[in-house]
Amino acid sequence: MSDQNTTNEADAAGQPAIAQLRVLTQYVKDVSFENPNAPQSLGPTDEQPGISVRVDVGVQRMSDTDYEVALKLGAEAKTKDRTMFLVELDYAGLFRLTNIPEENLEAVLVVECPRQIFPFARRIIADLTRDGGYPPLMIDPIDFVSLYQQRRQQMAQEPAGAGQPN
């Protein structure tokens, strides 16, 4: 309680407001696990399966300070002749951002917010694959900063009006 009063007094005294990121809640929006070749795919195999992982981040503004940030993870395991499993997860958090400078808002939403909820999404993927009869898939930590920078570079390289009908 005293921390809150100290912050309010500092604001009233003309000090810069403290930037805050709060996780209000987090939840599964959508989840899917497919095990199309079970039980044959569950036995020992001579080859290591190839596993591909997809990551995407979506942001939706809910109010002046609240944002839903959805982390979309997908993973598919295949051997040369068949799919072993396919898992997709849309895991979201509702975040309250206060006193974040406008020029930093996008980076906070697509880097820091997904970083906060990733460990929970990772655990869900691991549990789903384990419960599907496979070793738990432990997705490596994701460098959200690099993903953000790559996306910005791609957008900068796209010609103006790309994708617009002629």
Side-chain angles (χ1 to χ4, degrees), residues 95-126:
F95 294 86
R96 178 159 295 153
L97 306 177
T98 53
N99 304 318
I100 307 286
E102 189 66 34
E103 63 272 11
N104 298 340
L105 188 60
E106 180 183 17
V108 169
L109 288 167
V110 298
V111 174
E112 191 55 37
C113 292
R115 189 180 304 171
Q116 296 288 319
I117 61 176
F118 173 74
F120 301 94
R122 179 180 191 236
R123 183 195 50 81
I124 292 168
I125 297 283

CSV table of all heavy atoms in Angstrom, one decimal, residues 95-126:
chain,number,residue,atom,x,y,z
A,95,PHE,N,-2.8,-8.0,-20.8
A,95,PHE,CA,-1.8,-7.2,-20.2
A,95,PHE,C,-2.3,-5.8,-20.0
A,95,PHE,O,-3.0,-5.2,-20.9
A,95,PHE,CB,-0.5,-7.1,-21.1
A,95,PHE,CG,0.1,-8.4,-21.2
A,95,PHE,CD1,-0.2,-9.4,-22.1
A,95,PHE,CD2,1.2,-8.8,-20.3
A,95,PHE,CE1,0.4,-10.6,-22.3
A,95,PHE,CE2,1.8,-10.0,-20.4
A,95,PHE,CZ,1.4,-10.9,-21.4
A,96,ARG,N,-2.0,-5.2,-18.9
A,96,ARG,CA,-2.2,-3.7,-18.7
A,96,ARG,C,-0.9,-3.0,-18.7
A,96,ARG,O,0.0,-3.3,-17.9
A,96,ARG,CB,-2.9,-3.5,-17.3
A,96,ARG,CG,-3.1,-2.0,-17.0
A,96,ARG,CD,-4.2,-1.8,-16.0
A,96,ARG,NE,-5.5,-2.3,-16.5
A,96,ARG,CZ,-6.5,-2.7,-15.8
A,96,ARG,NH1,-6.4,-2.7,-14.4
A,96,ARG,NH2,-7.6,-3.1,-16.3
A,97,LEU,N,-0.8,-2.1,-19.7
A,97,LEU,CA,0.4,-1.3,-19.8
A,97,LEU,C,0.1,0.2,-19.5
A,97,LEU,O,-0.8,0.8,-20.0
A,97,LEU,CB,0.9,-1.4,-21.3
A,97,LEU,CG,1.1,-2.8,-21.9
A,97,LEU,CD1,1.5,-2.7,-23.3
A,97,LEU,CD2,2.1,-3.5,-21.1
A,98,THR,N,0.9,0.7,-18.5
A,98,THR,CA,0.7,2.1,-18.1
A,98,THR,C,2.0,2.8,-18.2
A,98,THR,O,3.1,2.2,-17.9
A,98,THR,CB,0.1,2.2,-16.7
A,98,THR,OG1,0.9,1.4,-15.8
A,98,THR,CG2,-1.3,1.7,-16.7
A,99,ASN,N,2.0,4.0,-18.6
A,99,ASN,CA,3.1,4.9,-18.7
A,99,ASN,C,4.2,4.4,-19.6
A,99,ASN,O,5.4,4.6,-19.4
A,99,ASN,CB,3.7,5.2,-17.3
A,99,ASN,CG,2.6,5.8,-16.4
A,99,ASN,OD1,1.8,6.7,-16.8
A,99,ASN,ND2,2.5,5.3,-15.2
A,100,ILE,N,3.9,3.6,-20.6
A,100,ILE,CA,4.8,3.2,-21.6
A,100,ILE,C,4.9,4.2,-22.7
A,100,ILE,O,3.8,4.5,-23.3
A,100,ILE,CB,4.4,1.8,-22.2
A,100,ILE,CG1,4.1,0.7,-21.1
A,100,ILE,CG2,5.4,1.3,-23.3
A,100,ILE,CD1,5.3,0.2,-20.5
A,101,PRO,N,6.1,4.7,-23.0
A,101,PRO,CA,6.1,5.7,-24.1
A,101,PRO,C,5.6,5.1,-25.4
A,101,PRO,O,5.9,3.9,-25.7
A,101,PRO,CB,7.6,6.0,-24.2
A,101,PRO,CG,8.2,5.7,-22.9
A,101,PRO,CD,7.3,4.5,-22.4
A,102,GLU,N,4.9,5.9,-26.2
A,102,GLU,CA,4.3,5.4,-27.5
A,102,GLU,C,5.4,4.8,-28.4
A,102,GLU,O,5.1,3.7,-29.0
A,102,GLU,CB,3.6,6.6,-28.2
A,102,GLU,CG,2.8,6.2,-29.4
A,102,GLU,CD,1.6,5.3,-29.0
A,102,GLU,OE1,1.0,5.6,-28.0
A,102,GLU,OE2,1.2,4.5,-29.8
A,103,GLU,N,6.6,5.3,-28.4
A,103,GLU,CA,7.6,4.8,-29.3
A,103,GLU,C,8.1,3.4,-28.9
A,103,GLU,O,8.7,2.6,-29.6
A,103,GLU,CB,8.8,5.7,-29.5
A,103,GLU,CG,9.6,6.0,-28.2
A,103,GLU,CD,9.0,7.2,-27.4
A,103,GLU,OE1,7.9,7.7,-27.7
A,103,GLU,OE2,9.7,7.6,-26.5
A,104,ASN,N,7.8,3.0,-27.6
A,104,ASN,CA,8.2,1.7,-27.1
A,104,ASN,C,7.1,0.7,-27.0
A,104,ASN,O,7.3,-0.5,-26.7
A,104,ASN,CB,8.8,1.8,-25.7
A,104,ASN,CG,10.1,2.7,-25.7
A,104,ASN,OD1,10.7,2.9,-26.7
A,104,ASN,ND2,10.4,3.2,-24.5
A,105,LEU,N,5.9,1.1,-27.3
A,105,LEU,CA,4.7,0.3,-27.1
A,105,LEU,C,4.7,-1.0,-27.9
A,105,LEU,O,4.5,-2.1,-27.4
A,105,LEU,CB,3.4,1.1,-27.4
A,105,LEU,CG,2.1,0.4,-27.0
A,105,LEU,CD1,2.0,0.1,-25.5
A,105,LEU,CD2,1.0,1.4,-27.4
A,106,GLU,N,5.0,-0.8,-29.2
A,106,GLU,CA,5.0,-2.0,-30.1
A,106,GLU,C,6.0,-3.0,-29.6
A,106,GLU,O,5.7,-4.2,-29.6
A,106,GLU,CB,5.3,-1.6,-31.5
A,106,GLU,CG,5.3,-2.8,-32.5
A,106,GLU,CD,5.7,-2.4,-33.9
A,106,GLU,OE1,6.3,-1.3,-34.1
A,106,GLU,OE2,5.4,-3.2,-34.8
A,107,ALA,N,7.2,-2.6,-29.3
A,107,ALA,CA,8.3,-3.6,-28.8
A,107,ALA,C,7.8,-4.3,-27.6
A,107,ALA,O,8.0,-5.5,-27.4
A,107,ALA,CB,9.6,-2.9,-28.7
A,108,VAL,N,7.2,-3.6,-26.6
A,108,VAL,CA,6.8,-4.2,-25.4
A,108,VAL,C,5.7,-5.2,-25.7
A,108,VAL,O,5.7,-6.3,-25.2
A,108,VAL,CB,6.2,-3.1,-24.4
A,108,VAL,CG1,5.5,-3.8,-23.2
A,108,VAL,CG2,7.4,-2.2,-23.9
A,109,LEU,N,4.8,-4.9,-26.6
A,109,LEU,CA,3.7,-5.8,-26.9
A,109,LEU,C,4.1,-7.1,-27.6
A,109,LEU,O,3.6,-8.2,-27.4
A,109,LEU,CB,2.6,-5.1,-27.7
A,109,LEU,CG,1.8,-4.1,-26.9
A,109,LEU,CD1,1.0,-3.2,-27.9
A,109,LEU,CD2,0.9,-4.8,-25.9
A,110,VAL,N,5.1,-7.0,-28.5
A,110,VAL,CA,5.5,-8.2,-29.3
A,110,VAL,C,6.8,-8.8,-28.9
A,110,VAL,O,7.2,-9.8,-29.4
A,110,VAL,CB,5.6,-7.8,-30.8
A,110,VAL,CG1,4.2,-7.4,-31.4
A,110,VAL,CG2,6.6,-6.8,-31.1
A,111,VAL,N,7.4,-8.2,-27.9
A,111,VAL,CA,8.7,-8.9,-27.3
A,111,VAL,C,8.5,-9.2,-25.9
A,111,VAL,O,8.5,-10.4,-25.5
A,111,VAL,CB,9.9,-7.9,-27.5
A,111,VAL,CG1,11.1,-8.5,-26.8
A,111,VAL,CG2,10.2,-7.7,-28.9
A,112,GLU,N,8.2,-8.3,-25.0
A,112,GLU,CA,8.1,-8.5,-23.6
A,112,GLU,C,6.9,-9.3,-23.2
A,112,GLU,O,7.0,-10.2,-22.4
A,112,GLU,CB,8.3,-7.2,-22.8
A,112,GLU,CG,8.5,-7.5,-21.3
A,112,GLU,CD,9.7,-8.3,-21.0
A,112,GLU,OE1,10.7,-8.3,-21.7
A,112,GLU,OE2,9.5,-9.1,-20.0
A,113,CYS,N,5.7,-9.0,-23.7
A,113,CYS,CA,4.5,-9.7,-23.3
A,113,CYS,C,4.6,-11.2,-23.7
A,113,CYS,O,4.3,-12.0,-22.9
A,113,CYS,CB,3.3,-9.0,-23.9
A,113,CYS,SG,3.0,-7.4,-23.2
A,114,PRO,N,5.0,-11.5,-25.0
A,114,PRO,CA,5.1,-12.9,-25.3
A,114,PRO,C,6.1,-13.6,-24.4
A,114,PRO,O,6.0,-14.8,-24.1
A,114,PRO,CB,5.5,-13.0,-26.8
A,114,PRO,CG,5.1,-11.6,-27.3
A,114,PRO,CD,5.2,-10.7,-26.2
A,115,ARG,N,7.2,-12.9,-24.1
A,115,ARG,CA,8.3,-13.5,-23.2
A,115,ARG,C,7.7,-13.9,-21.9
A,115,ARG,O,8.1,-14.9,-21.3
A,115,ARG,CB,9.4,-12.5,-23.1
A,115,ARG,CG,10.6,-13.1,-22.4
A,115,ARG,CD,11.7,-12.1,-22.2
A,115,ARG,NE,12.1,-11.5,-23.5
A,115,ARG,CZ,12.9,-10.5,-23.7
A,115,ARG,NH1,13.4,-9.9,-22.6
A,115,ARG,NH2,13.2,-10.0,-24.8
A,116,GLN,N,6.7,-13.1,-21.4
A,116,GLN,CA,6.1,-13.4,-20.1
A,116,GLN,C,5.3,-14.7,-20.1
A,116,GLN,O,5.2,-15.4,-19.1
A,116,GLN,CB,5.2,-12.2,-19.7
A,116,GLN,CG,6.0,-10.9,-19.4
A,116,GLN,CD,6.8,-11.0,-18.1
A,116,GLN,OE1,6.3,-11.5,-17.1
A,116,GLN,NE2,8.0,-10.5,-18.2
A,117,ILE,N,4.6,-14.9,-21.2
A,117,ILE,CA,3.6,-16.1,-21.3
A,117,ILE,C,4.2,-17.3,-21.9
A,117,ILE,O,3.7,-18.4,-21.8
A,117,ILE,CB,2.3,-15.7,-21.9
A,117,ILE,CG1,2.5,-15.3,-23.4
A,117,ILE,CG2,1.6,-14.6,-21.1
A,117,ILE,CD1,1.2,-15.0,-24.1
A,118,PHE,N,5.4,-17.2,-22.6
A,118,PHE,CA,6.0,-18.3,-23.3
A,118,PHE,C,6.2,-19.6,-22.4
A,118,PHE,O,5.9,-20.7,-22.8
A,118,PHE,CB,7.3,-17.9,-24.0
A,118,PHE,CG,8.0,-19.1,-24.6
A,118,PHE,CD1,7.5,-19.7,-25.7
A,118,PHE,CD2,9.1,-19.7,-23.9
A,118,PHE,CE1,8.2,-20.9,-26.3
A,118,PHE,CE2,9.8,-20.8,-24.5
A,118,PHE,CZ,9.3,-21.4,-25.6
A,119,PRO,N,6.7,-19.4,-21.2
A,119,PRO,CA,7.0,-20.6,-20.4
A,119,PRO,C,5.7,-21.5,-20.1
A,119,PRO,O,5.7,-22.7,-20.1
A,119,PRO,CB,7.5,-20.1,-19.1
A,119,PRO,CG,8.1,-18.8,-19.4
A,119,PRO,CD,7.2,-18.2,-20.5
A,120,PHE,N,4.6,-20.8,-20.0
A,120,PHE,CA,3.3,-21.5,-19.8
A,120,PHE,C,2.8,-22.2,-21.0
A,120,PHE,O,2.4,-23.4,-21.0
A,120,PHE,CB,2.2,-20.5,-19.3
A,120,PHE,CG,2.7,-19.8,-18.0
A,120,PHE,CD1,3.3,-18.6,-18.1
A,120,PHE,CD2,2.5,-20.4,-16.8
A,120,PHE,CE1,3.7,-17.9,-16.9
A,120,PHE,CE2,2.9,-19.7,-15.6
A,120,PHE,CZ,3.5,-18.5,-15.7
A,121,ALA,N,3.0,-21.6,-22.2
A,121,ALA,CA,2.6,-22.2,-23.4
A,121,ALA,C,3.6,-23.4,-23.7
A,121,ALA,O,3.1,-24.4,-24.2
A,121,ALA,CB,2.7,-21.2,-24.6
A,122,ARG,N,4.8,-23.2,-23.4
A,122,ARG,CA,5.8,-24.3,-23.6
A,122,ARG,C,5.4,-25.5,-22.8
A,122,ARG,O,5.5,-26.7,-23.3
A,122,ARG,CB,7.2,-23.8,-23.2
A,122,ARG,CG,8.3,-24.8,-23.4
A,122,ARG,CD,9.6,-24.2,-22.9
A,122,ARG,NE,10.7,-25.0,-23.3
A,122,ARG,CZ,11.6,-25.5,-22.4
A,122,ARG,NH1,11.5,-25.2,-21.1
A,122,ARG,NH2,12.6,-26.2,-22.8
A,123,ARG,N,5.0,-25.3,-21.6
A,123,ARG,CA,4.6,-26.4,-20.7
A,123,ARG,C,3.4,-27.2,-21.3
A,123,ARG,O,3.3,-28.4,-21.3
A,123,ARG,CB,4.3,-26.0,-19.3
A,123,ARG,CG,4.0,-27.1,-18.4
A,123,ARG,CD,3.3,-26.7,-17.1
A,123,ARG,NE,2.2,-25.8,-17.2
A,123,ARG,CZ,1.0,-26.1,-17.5
A,123,ARG,NH1,0.7,-27.3,-17.7
A,123,ARG,NH2,0.0,-25.2,-17.6
A,124,ILE,N,2.4,-26.4,-21.8
A,124,ILE,CA,1.2,-27.0,-22.4
A,124,ILE,C,1.6,-27.9,-23.6
A,124,ILE,O,1.1,-29.0,-23.7
A,124,ILE,CB,0.2,-25.9,-22.8
A,124,ILE,CG1,-0.4,-25.3,-21.5
A,124,ILE,CG2,-1.0,-26.5,-23.6
A,124,ILE,CD1,-1.2,-24.0,-21.7
A,125,ILE,N,2.5,-27.4,-24.4
A,125,ILE,CA,2.9,-28.2,-25.6
A,125,ILE,C,3.6,-29.5,-25.1
A,125,ILE,O,3.4,-30.6,-25.6
A,125,ILE,CB,3.9,-27.4,-26.5
A,125,ILE,CG1,3.1,-26.2,-27.1
A,125,ILE,CG2,4.5,-28.3,-27.6
A,125,ILE,CD1,2.2,-26.4,-28.3
A,126,ALA,N,4.5,-29.4,-24.1
A,126,ALA,CA,5.2,-30.5,-23.6
A,126,ALA,C,4.2,-31.5,-23.0
A,126,ALA,O,4.3,-32.8,-23.2
A,126,ALA,CB,6.2,-30.1,-22.5
